[in-house]
Amino acid sequence: MSRTLTQLLDVRPGVTALVGAGGKTTAMLTLAEELARAGRRVIVTTTTHIFPPDTGQYGPVFSPEDTAGIATALDRTGLAVAAGPLDERGKLTGVSDAQVEGLLELAKYVLVEADGSRRLPCKTPGDREPALPVKTELVVGVLGLKSLNHPLEAVCFRAGLAARRLGVEPENPVTPELLARLAAEPWGLTKATEGRRFVILLNQSDVCDPAQLCRVVQAVKETSGAPVVSAALQKREWKEE
């Protein structure tokens, strides 16, 4: 029997935060669906800005203060979405640490999108990123393999900063080794994960050459001791590396 994404990432009760680029929202909603189907109570939220999930599939978005509405949704489907009001771009705004703690009183599992990437497949965090809730126990660092072979400046959020940290030019193509460093260096997706569990999720494996995927995984493991999972989330395929 194939293992679920929840099992591969070792998602446990508490706060799980997703950072990075190239599939955070899809990964978060996939985990929420799996947990709800397994009879768990799970709340999806953000500390940054995300587009509202499909209300037909995930239900309405509740204010984190609407504990009665959230509780009713959890009783009905096991899953609720909670966030701040929409901004001028039509994105949901983030919740505070105190609000995350309140959500934990309603559901054992709280999944938080805690990073922005402007829909690009890779990134490096800025000074104030990621926006991890204090209660975060597991951090899932997501990177999109679609970035491979493309110029860094075309596929990376904060490309100028990434180029300086990597010691390359912004027009340099993204190699497996550079992508691995974005994931595993202390200034990369591992930032602020001290004392927390951390796992790297390499998404979009279906558009990646298998040999390149092997090079990324090997380079990540050489730089970081974190577990690595590869996935094609849109196809609902994943495996432990």
Side-chain angles (χ1 to χ4, degrees), residues 19-226:
V19 304
K24 295 187 303 295
T25 302
T26 303
M28 178 172 66
L29 295 176
T30 299
L31 293 171
E33 292 170 21
E34 289 183 350
L35 288 164
R37 281 198 302 269
R40 309 292 191 265
R41 292 165 67 92
V42 54
I43 296 174
V44 169
T45 189
T46 182
T47 53
T48 56
H49 299 80
I50 63 171
F51 286 108
D54 177 34
T55 55
Q57 185 171 1
Y58 300 102
V61 178
F62 296 95
S63 163
E65 309 302 332
D66 185 3
T67 57
I70 294 171
T72 297
L74 291 171
D75 289 340
R76 185 174 64 252
T77 67
L79 192 160
V81 181
L86 294 174
D87 65 12
E88 66 281 358
R89 298 168 297 173
K91 286 188 169 185
L92 298 171
T93 51
V95 299
S96 67
D97 278 331
Q99 289 170 328
V100 170
E101 291 193 32
L103 296 177
L104 277 172
E105 295 178 3
L106 299 170
K108 286 189 175 181
Y109 294 83
V110 175
L111 308 180
V112 183
E113 186 164 324
D115 209 357
S117 59
R118 296 191 181 170
R119 311 194 87 169
L120 291 168
C122 69
K123 74 164 294 180
T124 195
D127 291 342
R128 298 184 179 181
E129 297 174 313
L132 297 177
V134 171
K135 294 282 189 178
T136 301
E137 297 177 14
L138 170 66
V139 179
V140 179
V142 184
L143 277 182
L145 293 166
K146 281 184 179 179
S147 56
L148 287 169
N149 304 318
H150 294 283
L152 185 68
E153 61 189 358
V155 294
C156 186
F157 183 45
R158 307 197 188 285
L161 178 60
R164 291 194 296 274
R165 286 171 169 172
L166 293 167
V168 301
E169 297 300 320
E171 61 268 23
N172 277 34
V174 176
T175 64
E177 289 73 25
L178 291 184
L179 192 65
R181 291 184 62 197
L182 289 175
E185 290 279 8
W187 44 257
L189 300 190
T190 64
K191 181 183 174 186
T193 62
E194 297 84 357
R196 297 176 165 122
R197 295 185 298 118
F198 178 66
V199 60
I200 294 171
L201 175 61
L202 301 174
N203 188 31
Q204 303 162 348
S205 60
D206 53 324
V207 300
C208 177
D209 183 295
Q212 288 186 316
L213 174 60
C214 288
R215 283 174 58 190
V216 176
V217 171
Q218 182 178 0
V220 166
K221 289 184 174 180
E222 288 175 354
T223 310
S224 167

